[in-house]
Amino acid sequence: MLELPFELFGLTQIIENEPARMAFVASFGVLIAAFIITLFSRLPLLKTFFGIIAGGLALALFPGFVVCMAFAFSGIAGMHIFFSWVMIVIACILFMLLNYQRVTVTLSDVVEVKGILRTFVPSKNRDV
């Protein structure tokens, strides 16, 4: 029977031996992944799907970094840090999945994006 080894490409050994790398992955890895997903979000058919994924990664940036740093300095094993970070990312993506319409309406009231320039738009409920 053919199967992939659990220690595929030595990734688990790297995570287990150097838990501080998880804090690096939790901060910069999420930014790189969100940037790549944002490039794919320009496709009209998959815009909502990739918007949900990119929004979840953006939400997971700060809490994932804080939790990974706290765990790394506490001496917790690297795989435990990795699985905790994965759960934070999954929870943030599920939050975006369940609240995507509400978040987009709220953000469209605050920020209107025109090309690269962002201009702040007053709320529709306030008098200007």
Side-chain angles (χ1 to χ4, degrees), residues 19-41:
R21 282 197 184 190
M22 277 312 301
F24 182 76
V25 169
S27 58
F28 298 111
V30 171
L31 288 176
I32 293 169
F35 178 72
I36 292 170
I37 289 173
T38 305
L39 293 176
F40 286 115
S41 69

Side-chain angles (χ1 to χ4, degrees), residues 2 5 8 17 22 25 30 36 41 47 53 74 76 81 86 99 106:
L2 296 174
L8 190 63
N17 293 336
M22 277 312 301
V25 169
V30 171
I36 292 170
S41 69
K47 185 175 183 177
I53 301 295
S74 297
I76 296 177
I81 296 172
V86 167
N99 298 309
T106 303

